[in-house]
Amino acid sequence: MEVKRRSARVVTFGCQMNERDSETIMGILSSLGFEESPSVDDADIIIFVTCCVRENAENRAFGNLGETKRLKERNPHLVVGMCGCMAQRSDLREKVQARMPWVDLVFGTHNIHRLPELLQRVFSGERVIEVWDEPCEVVEGLPAMRAYSHKAFVNITYGCDNFCTYCIVPYVRGRERSRTMEDVVAEVGNLAKSGCVEVTLLGQNVNSYGRGLPPRPSGVSPDFADLLYEVNSVEGIERIRFTTSHPRDFTDKMVEAAGSCDKVCEHFHLPLQSGSDRVLDMMHRGYTAEKYLGLVHRIRDVIPGASITTDIMVGFPGETEADFQATMDMVRQARFDAAFTFIYSPRPGTVAAEMPNQVKDDVKHDRIYRLIDLVNSTAGEVNDELRGAIREVMVEGPSERDTSVLSGRTRTNKMVHWTASKEHKPGDLVRVRILEPRTWTLYGEEVMSGGELDV
Ligand code: SAH
Ligand code: SF4
Ligand code: F3S
């Protein structure tokens, strides 16, 4: 009789940190003999890697956890686990503990490396809830099952020390810790050897990389610019990306480094949050609208053609129509290539959640619609300037909607679709002439040879 191998499904919510953590979790499960299951329906273990940055992220995770009750009734041997940022919050963890008795395992963002032991205890019949309030030293050398072979996320810092007043991340991800340059470069080198051509360096604030690391022979700790030069020298890597940048900590030295490292892509994700100095101050962001715009101009001067994307929030406590108009003004002036827009969501335990003058839901909704309209029309205008241009595009694979169409990204991180005239595999670099730019996607044709390549 054929013995069925045990299978596991990791379901991820939230940001790239979680995506990367999920690769580690799947790596650990694989080393324990589990294979990846294509869906939750026939998995023997399901682990939810959760996010609590906004209330709707929490609701989605609770909804998904709720549905596993039915799966568990069908398959009593199923193990259901929950980890990630929600698990770090004692109120949410207790809710799961009390109301979802079918959840067998809860662990946090700081003790992923303990998963083998925790699972052993679950298999011997125990309900295991183990969350650490504080992180330990950075743990290196954990296995990872990477989601892609041509591109990879590489952590450079963990946690965040900024305590923006609206944000839960510092509470659930702990104090900021940097990995050593040697560890980062070694990981990138190993990825390159296994065929990876694009790395995205990950941190909540990549620009503060290196704080607290031992000084180099020069007497100072390495910074993000130093790291970019090192990663740029890794053979085999074609593209280097990073996220997220904090406008307050983005120094001229870092702009220079990004400009002089040939592999560093011309794309900067610079979360603005608000265009009003009053609101920025209440948020604790540490920059003014003018300073932000100065950075945008500096980047565009040093790196012509750079794309700049952002995160913007509406409805922060006390935000007036005038504050909101200042945000709209910034969108017009900065001419963002794209923006993620959010409605402020009060997070229990943060300073802003306790502030008076919480903005009413209908006002928040009205503002977000106006903001989205403006962001879309600006992005449409910016993209329209690409009509006729030829760009280097990294192949991602067939497009989701039509498999005869290939999909890929420019160095400026714009999604491109083109009809495949030739077979390509993910990670190949091709030249595409942009024929029809739209707000979110550029449509084009592959250019076989010749043609000026402008960025
Ligand atoms: N470290 C990054 C991103 C953190 S979370 C940074 O500093 O930008 C990603 C985005 O979610 C933030 O940029 C912010 O725009 C949004 N966000 C964070 N907390 C939020 C909240 N309480 N309500 C709504 N949006 C929020
Ligand atoms: Fe949150 Fe601010 Fe840290 Fe970003 S920098 S994770 S928004 S506290
Ligand atoms: Fe969410 Fe945690 Fe990322 S709260 S945004 S998954 S760091």
Side-chain angles (χ1 to χ4, degrees), residues 160-164 166-170 204-205 246 273 285:
C160 180
D161 283 351
N162 286 306
F163 288 94
C164 300
Y166 50 80
C167 186
I168 196 72
V169 172
Q204 295 296 348
N205 174 2
H246 195 305
Q273 312 303 359
R285 288 293 287 177

Side-chain angles (χ1 to χ4, degrees), residues 15-17 51-55 159-160 162 164-169 203-206 243-247 269-273 283 285 287 310-314 316 340-347 350 352:
C15 69
Q16 294 98 332
M17 305 288 158
C51 169
C52 55
V53 80
R54 284 171 290 278
E55 195 184 358
C160 180
N162 286 306
C164 300
T165 53
Y166 50 80
C167 186
I168 196 72
V169 172
Q204 295 296 348
N205 174 2
V206 292
T243 197
T244 296
S245 298
H246 195 305
H269 184 65
L270 293 178
L272 167 68
Q273 312 303 359
M283 288 175 163
R285 288 293 287 177
Y287 54 84
T310 198
D311 292 349
I312 305 175
M313 194 186 302
V314 299
F316 184 83
F340 294 108
T341 51
F342 305 108
I343 290 181
Y344 166 72
S345 165
R347 303 288 67 217
T350 61

Side-chain angles (χ1 to χ4, degrees), residues 301-376:
D301 284 348
V302 175
I303 304 159
S307 72
I308 298 188
T309 57
T310 198
D311 292 349
I312 305 175
M313 194 186 302
V314 299
F316 184 83
E319 184 190 67
T320 62
E321 176 62 24
D323 293 319
F324 174 66
Q325 285 304 334
T327 298
M328 297 284 271
D329 255 4
M330 272 301 270
V331 174
R332 289 183 200 102
Q333 292 189 59
R335 302 196 78 234
F336 294 115
D337 291 78
F340 294 108
T341 51
F342 305 108
I343 290 181
Y344 166 72
S345 165
R347 303 288 67 217
T350 61
V351 173
E354 302 303 321
M355 286 181 180
N357 305 326
Q358 297 284 329
V359 176
K360 290 205 179 72
D361 276 353
D362 57 337
V363 176
K364 287 181 180 170
H365 285 114
D366 174 61
R367 287 183 189 158
I368 195 115
Y369 289 131
R370 286 189 279 158
L371 178 64
I372 290 171
D373 270 354
L374 180 65
V375 160
N376 286 351

